[in-house]
C-alpha cells in the first residue's frame, strides 16, 4: 500500500468516526428530547443493532412491555417496544413532575400509557432523521410516527409483516442512575426497485407545489348524515320490528331533511331529491344570525333587504343632538318646513264689558264692640325672695370646680 493510499484510508476512517450514524443519532436525540419536552434525564448508555427476518421477529417481543405500531412512508409498519420501567417514569414525570427512585411494578399496559409515551417516539424519529448525513442511513431510519397500541405479542407479530427488519435496542438510564430500561425499535427494510428509484429521482427533479390552505381544506373528509325524520316508538314495538316492516314518515319528510355530523349536531337543513339518478340534498341558505353575520356589501343580494333612506329628524328632535344638528344645518335644503301658525280668535272688547257691582261702605267706628273678657284668677302667694339665701359668687363657683 502506497503512502497516498494509507493517508486516504486514514482520512476516510477519521471522517467516518465523526460522521453521524444511526446509533449515534438515536443516542443524542433521546437525551435532548427528554430534556426539552419532559424536563427529565434520560441517557442512552448502550445501543445494539441487528438484522432479523420477519419470520423470527416474534422471538424479540416482551409481553410486559408497551407495544406500539408505527406508521411510515411505506406500506410496511414499524414497531416500538418500551420497557415498563421507562413507561412508569414517563407517566410519573408528566403527571406529578417527579420520577420515583423505584422502578414501576409490572402491570397491563393501556392506551393511556401509549398516548403519554407517543410524543417521545415521534420526536425521536424526527430529530434523529434530521441529524443523519448519508442517504443509506436516512433510508434505514425513516420518519415513523405512532399509529396504535397493540394488546399482546401475537397481534404485534401479525401486524409487522415486512420481510426483514433492522432492530435497534437502546438501553436507557433514568434519572441519573435511579434505574435502567429498554427502548427497542423495529424498522422495516424496504428494498427500492429500479423503476421506483427512477420515479423518485424524477419527483425530486420536479419542483414540489406549495401546500396551501385551500388544498388542505378541500382534501379533508367529513362524514355527514341526512336525517329524514325521527320517530318515537315503545321499546316493545321496536323489538318486534323485522325486515320488510314499513315506518310511516311525516308528509313533509323529504322537504325537512336535517344534515347532522357524527356527534349528532345539526349543521344544515334542506330538501331530498335526485340528481342524475342519485340521491341528493339541496341545502337551504343560512340566514344571518349572531354566529353567521352578513357584514359585507356582497352579501346584500342574499339578504333581500329593501333600499332604506335615512329619515330626516323632526322639528322637535333638531336640537337633541348638537353634532347631528350642525351636520343637518350645513346640508342645503335639509331643514324641514314648519307649519303655519293658526289664527287667534277675536278677543272681547274690554270697554263693552259690564261694570262690576259697587261694594257697600263699612264704617269701622260703627262696628260691633268686642266682648268683655273674664277676670283673671288670683295667683297663689309666692315665696319671699328677700329672705332667700344668696347665691354664691361666680368666683366661688370656679374655685369649687377647680377643686
Amino acid at each position: 500500500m502506497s503512502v497516498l493510499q494509507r493517508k486516504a484510508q486514514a482520512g476516510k476512517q477519521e471522517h467516518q468516526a465523526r460522521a453521524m450514524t444511526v446509533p449515534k443519532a438515536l443516542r443524542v436525540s433521546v437525551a435532548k428530547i427528554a430534556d426539552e419536552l419532559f424536563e427529565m434525564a434520560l441517557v442512552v448508555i448502550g445501543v445494539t443493532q441487528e438484522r432479523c427476518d420477519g419470520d423470527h421477529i416474534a422471538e424479540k417481543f416482551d409481553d410486559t412491555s408497551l407495544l406500539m405500531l408505527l406508521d411510515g412512508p411505506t406500506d410496511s409498519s414499524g414497531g416500538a417496544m418500551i420497557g415498563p420501567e421507562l413507561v412508569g417514569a414517563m407517566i410519573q414525570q408528566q403527571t406529578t413532575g417527579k420520577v420515583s427512585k423505584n422502578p414501576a411494578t409490572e402491570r397491563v399496559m393501556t392506551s393511556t400509557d401509549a398516548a403519554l409515551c407517543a410524543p417521545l417516539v415521534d420526536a425521536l424519529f424526527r430529530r434523529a432523521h434530521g441529524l443523519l448525513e448519508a442517504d443509506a442511513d436516512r433510508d434505514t431510519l425513516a420518519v415513523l410516527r405512532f399509529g396504535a397500541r397493540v394488546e399482546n405479542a401475537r397481534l404485534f407479530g401479525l401486524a409487522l409483516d415486512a420481510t426483514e427488519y433492522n432492530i435497534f435496542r437502546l438501553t436507557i438510564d433514568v434519572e441519573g442512575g435511579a434505574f435502567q430500561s429498554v427502548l427497542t425499535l423495529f424498522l422495516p427494510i424496504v428494498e427500492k426497485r429500479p423503476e421506483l428509484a427512477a420515479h423518485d429521482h424524477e419527483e425530486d427533479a420536479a419542483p414540489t407545489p406549495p401546500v396551501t390552505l385551500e388544498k388542505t381544506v378541500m382534501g379533508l373528509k367529513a362524514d355527514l348524515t341526512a336525517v329524514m325524520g325521527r320517530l318515537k316508538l315503545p321499546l316493545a314495538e321496536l323489538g318486534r320490528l323485522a325486515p320488510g316492516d314499513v315506518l310511516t314518515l311525516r308528509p313533509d319528510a323529504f322537504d325537512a331533511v336535517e344534515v347532522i355530523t357524527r356527534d349528532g349536531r345539526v349543521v344544515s337543513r334542506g330538501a331530498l331529491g335526485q340528481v342524475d339518478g342519485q340521491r341528493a340534498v339541496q341545502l337551504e341558505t343560512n340566514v344571518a344570525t349572531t354566529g353567521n353575520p352578513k357584514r359585507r356589501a356582497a352579501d346584500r343580494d342574499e339578504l333581500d333587504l329593501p333600499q332604506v333612506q335615512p329619515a330626516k329628524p323632526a322639528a322637535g328632535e333638531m336640537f337633541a343632538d348638537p353634532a347631528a344638528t350642525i351636520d343637518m344645518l350645513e346640508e342645503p335644503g335639509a331643514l324641514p318646513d314648519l307649519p303655519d301658525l293658526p289664527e287667534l280668535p277675536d278677543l272681547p272688547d274690554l270697554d263693552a264689558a259690564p261694570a262690576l257691582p259697587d261694594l257697600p261702605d263699612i264704617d269701622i267706628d260703627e262696628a260691633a264692640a268686642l266682648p268683655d273678657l273674664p277676670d283673671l284668677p288670683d295667683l297663689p302667694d309666692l315665696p319671699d325672695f328677700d329672705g332667700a339665701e344668696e347665691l354664691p359668687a361666680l368666683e366661688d363657683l370656679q374655685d369649687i370646680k377647680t377643686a
Side-chain angles (χ1 to χ4, degrees):
M1 182 181 294
S2 64
V3 177
L4 292 178
Q5 288 177 343
R6 287 197 300 270
K7 288 184 177 180
Q9 185 176 7
K12 182 179 180 181
Q13 293 175 355
E14 183 180 356
H15 175 72
Q16 290 178 350
R18 294 196 308 265
M20 184 64 70
T21 60
V22 175
K24 187 184 295 185
L26 292 173
R27 183 171 62 253
V28 174
S29 299
V30 168
K32 284 285 187 180
I33 293 169
D35 181 63
E36 294 177 357
L37 295 185
F38 309 106
E39 297 182 355
M40 61 185 304
L42 297 181
V43 179
V44 179
I45 58 178
V47 181
T48 61
Q49 178 181 357
E50 64 175 313
R51 200 160 176 155
C52 181
D53 294 335
D55 297 336
H56 301 89
I57 197 172
E59 301 173 0
K60 309 295 182 180
F61 299 158
D62 181 12
D63 274 328
T64 62
S65 300
L66 175 62
L67 306 177
M68 303 167 61
L69 281 180
L70 305 178
D71 298 331
T74 62
D75 295 336
S76 300
S77 300
M81 187 171 64
I82 307 177
E85 302 85 4
L86 181 57
V87 173
M90 295 287 297
I91 295 175
Q92 291 175 6
Q93 181 66 25
Q94 296 183 63
T95 54
T96 64
K98 185 179 179 180
V99 179
S100 174
K101 297 298 182 180
N102 300 322
T105 58
E106 294 184 3
R107 59 180 178 82
V108 178
M109 298 297 169
T110 63
S111 299
T112 304
D113 301 329
L116 293 176
C117 295
L120 173 66
V121 177
D122 294 346
L124 175 61
F125 279 98
R126 290 196 304 267
R127 187 179 182 89
H129 181 83
L131 296 177
L132 299 175
E133 300 175 358
D135 293 339
D137 292 338
R138 288 177 175 268
D139 294 337
T140 300
L141 187 65
V143 179
L144 305 181
R145 61 184 181 275
F146 169 72
R149 182 188 70 89
V150 183
E151 295 182 358
N152 51 57
R154 183 183 66 83
L155 297 178
F156 196 46
L158 293 175
L160 300 180
D161 55 356
T163 305
E164 201 170 7
Y165 281 88
N166 272 323
I167 302 177
F168 293 90
R169 180 183 174 89
L170 283 69
T171 304
I172 300 177
D173 178 83
V174 181
E175 289 298 323
F179 52 88
Q180 296 178 2
S181 187
V182 177
L183 169 61
T184 307
L185 303 177
F186 304 91
L187 308 182
I189 300 175
V190 180
E191 299 293 342
K192 288 190 175 182
R193 292 177 295 178
E195 57 272 15
L196 294 179
H199 180 67
D200 294 343
H201 189 70
E202 293 177 359
E203 289 183 352
D204 294 340
T208 304
V211 179
T212 61
L213 179 61
E214 178 185 1
K215 293 182 179 179
T216 303
V217 174
M218 297 305 295
L220 297 177
K221 295 183 179 180
D223 295 333
L224 299 177
T225 304
V227 179
M228 295 182 59
R230 292 181 172 84
L231 299 176
K232 291 184 178 180
L233 299 176
L235 185 58
E237 184 177 352
L238 185 62
R240 291 193 297 267
L241 289 179
D245 293 346
V246 178
L247 299 177
T248 304
L249 300 178
R250 298 187 309 173
D252 59 343
F254 287 91
D255 297 331
V257 175
E258 293 181 347
V259 180
I260 63 174
T261 60
R262 297 179 62 180
D263 56 356
R265 182 171 58 90
V266 179
V267 295
S268 183
R269 291 177 173 82
L272 183 64
Q274 285 187 352
V275 175
D276 297 333
Q278 296 182 353
R279 292 292 183 186
V281 177
Q282 182 179 6
L283 302 179
E284 64 182 11
T285 304
N286 291 333
V287 183
T289 59
T290 55
N292 182 28
K294 300 288 186 179
R295 299 188 179 98
R296 297 173 295 183
D299 298 329
R300 290 188 59 84
D301 297 337
E302 302 178 8
L303 298 180
D304 193 19
L305 296 176
Q307 298 294 333
V308 180
Q309 298 295 335
K312 296 180 180 180
E317 302 175 354
M318 287 176 56
F319 300 100
D321 188 357
T325 304
I326 294 174
D327 296 339
M328 184 185 65
L329 294 176
E330 292 179 354
E331 182 180 356
L335 292 176
D337 296 332
L338 297 176
D340 296 334
L341 294 175
E343 296 182 359
L344 297 176
D346 295 336
L347 297 176
D349 190 3
L350 298 179
D351 297 336
L356 295 176
D358 296 335
L359 296 176
D361 296 335
I362 300 175
D363 189 0
I364 298 177
D365 297 335
E366 297 179 357
L370 295 175
D372 296 333
L373 296 176
D375 296 335
L376 294 174
D378 295 335
L379 295 176
D381 294 337
L382 296 176
D384 186 8
F385 290 99
D386 294 337
E389 297 180 357
E390 294 182 359
L391 296 175
L394 182 60
E395 293 81 357
D396 299 336
L397 292 177
Q398 292 178 353
D399 295 340
I400 294 171
K401 182 177 182 181
T402 304

